[in-house]
Amino acid sequence: MQPKPTDRLELPRPDTISANHSLKVAAAIRVAIDAGGGSISFAEYMQHALYTPGLGYYSAGATKFGAAGDFITAPEISPLFGAVLARQSAFVLEQLGGGDILEPGAGTGALAVSILGKLDELGALPQRYLILEASPDLQERQEKRLSAEAPEYLSRVSWISSLPGDFSGVVIANEVADALPVERFRINEGKVLQARVLVEDSRFSWTFTDAPSTLEDAVRSIEADLGIPFEDGYESEVSLSMRHWVSDLATAITSGFVFMIDYGLPRREYYAHERSRGWLRCHFRHHAHNDPLILPGIQDLTSWVDFTAVAEAASLAGMTIGGYVTQADLLLCGGMQDELAGFAALSVEEQAKLSGQIKLLTLPAEMGENFKCIGLSRGDLTAPPALTSSDRTHRL
Ligand SMILES: C[S@@+](CC[C@H](N)C(=O)[O-])C[C@H]1O[C@@H](n2cnc3c(N)ncnc32)[C@H](O)[C@@H]1O
């Protein structure tokens, strides 16, 4: 969930251990900058800051999730989120006559715990629950959480280090696409420039140079799709790595359905005239701000998702769009009411707690509208009900 934006000056000071860790991450990025001839693309900077083994924000031991961390995600807010996704997964698994579940980027393991518990209740446990996690630190946390909270399902869970070759089942990726490195670009006198990071006065700083052809082609194809060139000075992001990730995922699936949930928009809104500074956001101790070059390795870097690009990458890889809905519609049309059948029997405190969770997950000013779910399908499958009642695919 995205915290409300904060003035950079109001950011809390990192504690000594975090500040020292950030210095080590900065030193590793400097080595990469030297090796890159004096600068690296912003996408490379983001990759290093988040994923350098043993150092990056996701790869090392930062708390990340929850009240003591930097942000909170839907599965951490409430098991209702996983219960609805389990219902929708059961609908797909039944059509497939069984299959596996694959969760890339499983965070603390909260979603896996709630999905497995609900699928068991529905009599629809998958043969295997595969977790593909880029972060060794999070993999360790996932194993601990599953061992403590869902030991009965551990024999079905395995951690994989690359995509399986012939996957059949359901893929659930919550807030993974936004964590993939993005390129930043700026338009200058009609030319596409690439944002790069260098060291200036002992600090990381921006420089802009002619974009490589991959980035230029991507920006030109967005302009062609919008039917209007970007104006001078316009800055935004393009996630080339997200396109590769979707394409690799799609190629790995022989039959099945992907639920991809994230904050994002259709291309026309993402690259709107008034959005001329892009969608990159940084999260530090529940404060959101816009400077990715500070606090390397101890703050989250993330960018909203261009869902039209997701749909394009999936279609190119031969998948069909099985729906595109807001998170509120996903939950409300996906069986959340059924999950609340026992609400009246709860204590007043429990009712208040659950109501608070439902508000966070569904209200438009919270996660309800900004977060979307896109469904991607391979094979002759009927899209699950949560994605069909209020489908907005026509907006992509
Ligand atoms: C913002 S967290 C979301 C975690 C979790 N899905 C949740 O909703 O709480 C992003 C997750 O994606 C993982 N990740 C990033 N790149 C990945 C990749 N290429 N493959 C698999 N996981 C990845 C991170 O390590 C982290 O677990």
Side-chain angles (χ1 to χ4, degrees):
M1 184 180 167
Q2 297 244 300
K4 307 282 180 270
T6 307
D7 186 322
R8 210 190 105 177
L9 296 173
E10 290 173 22
L11 285 178
R13 286 176 74 84
D15 58 75
T16 313
I17 293 174
S18 303
N20 287 339
H21 181 78
S22 187
L23 289 175
K24 284 190 204 153
V25 180
I29 296 175
R30 280 198 175 95
V31 171
I33 289 176
D34 287 344
S39 70
I40 51 175
S41 69
F42 177 71
E44 290 170 277
Y45 172 90
M46 188 165 167
Q47 174 72 31
H48 285 297
L50 296 183
Y51 301 112
T52 295
L55 285 175
Y57 178 77
Y58 280 109
S59 313
T63 309
K64 305 181 259 284
F65 300 84
D70 305 296
F71 57 84
I72 188 155
T73 59
E76 304 289 331
I77 290 172
S78 174
L80 276 176
F81 184 75
V84 167
L85 284 168
R87 286 174 177 270
Q88 303 309 303
S89 301
F91 183 87
V92 174
L93 291 174
E94 192 182 348
Q95 292 181 68
L96 290 171
D100 296 331
I101 292 197
L102 166 62
E103 188 187 355
T108 64
L111 188 57
V113 169
S114 50
I115 287 179
L116 282 162
K118 188 72 211 177
L119 282 174
D120 191 8
E121 235 180 275
L122 297 171
L125 276 171
Q127 275 135 26
R128 297 179 301 166
Y129 194 105
L130 306 173
I131 296 182
L132 175 59
E133 176 54 67
S135 156
D137 166 55
L138 288 178
Q139 183 172 326
E140 206 182 305
R141 279 198 233 176
Q142 291 154 15
E143 284 188 64
K144 271 194 192 144
R145 184 155 190 172
L146 278 151
S147 306
E149 295 178 24
E152 64 273 42
Y153 308 122
L154 257 185
S155 59
R156 292 175 194 262
V157 181
S158 40
W159 281 265
I160 53 174
S161 53
S162 58
L163 285 166
D166 51 354
F167 181 81
S168 175
V170 175
V171 178
I172 300 173
N174 186 58
E175 289 207 42
V176 181
D178 71 85
L180 301 174
V182 290
E183 290 278 3
R184 272 186 73 75
F185 69 90
R186 176 190 284 172
I187 304 297
N188 188 42
E189 296 179 352
K191 278 170 78 172
V192 182
L193 303 184
Q194 180 188 44
R196 298 180 67 81
V197 178
L198 45 65
V199 179
E200 209 169 47
D201 297 332
S202 309
R203 286 164 179 268
F204 293 126
S205 178
W206 296 105
T207 184
F208 289 83
T209 59
D210 287 354
S213 57
T214 42
L215 176 58
E216 172 160 28
D217 292 349
V219 174
R220 295 301 182 209
S221 104
I222 291 167
E223 285 180 319
D225 190 27
L226 296 174
I228 180 167
F230 290 119
E231 63 198 34
D232 244 34
Y234 194 93
E235 283 182 26
S236 194
E237 293 85 34
V238 174
S239 185
L240 302 177
S241 52
M242 184 275 289
R243 294 166 190 217
H244 292 304
W245 181 73
V246 171
S247 166
D248 290 348
L249 196 56
T251 308
I253 299 171
T254 49
S255 55
F257 203 88
V258 179
F259 296 91
M260 191 182 294
I261 306 116
D262 228 310
Y263 30 86
L265 296 160
R267 175 165 293 154
R268 211 154 276 287
E269 293 167 49
Y270 192 100
Y271 295 106
H273 166 79
E274 60 277 13
R275 197 73 201 191
S276 62
R277 287 295 170 265
W279 293 93
L280 189 69
R281 287 292 169 273
C282 315
H283 298 145
F284 182 67
R285 309 280 189 266
H286 294 273
H287 294 263
H289 69 97
N290 298 330
D291 189 351
L293 302 189
I294 62 167
L295 306 172
I298 57 169
Q299 68 172 349
D300 187 25
L301 307 180
T302 166
S303 184
W304 282 42
V305 173
D306 167 4
F307 273 104
T308 306
V310 174
E312 279 174 357
S315 301
L316 268 174
M319 292 195 84
T320 313
I321 312 308
Y324 169 67
V325 296
T326 63
Q327 179 167 299
D329 286 333
L330 172 77
L331 297 173
L332 295 169
C333 306
M336 192 170 74
Q337 278 93 332
D338 298 324
E339 289 299 315
L340 299 173
F343 188 84
L346 297 175
S347 68
V348 175
E349 291 77 21
E350 286 168 330
Q351 286 184 349
K353 187 172 158 202
L354 195 51
S355 304
Q357 295 172 357
I358 294 167
K359 282 182 189 164
L360 280 178
L361 292 174
T362 60
L363 283 182
E366 302 289 353
M367 299 177 85
E369 288 281 328
N370 288 340
F371 281 73
K372 314 287 193 311
C373 175
I374 191 166
L376 310 172
S377 171
R378 177 160 335 260
D380 189 16
L381 293 173
T382 303
L387 295 183
T388 47
S389 320
S390 302
D391 185 19
R392 302 174 175 209
T393 303
H394 58 281
R395 296 208 191 167
L396 291 173

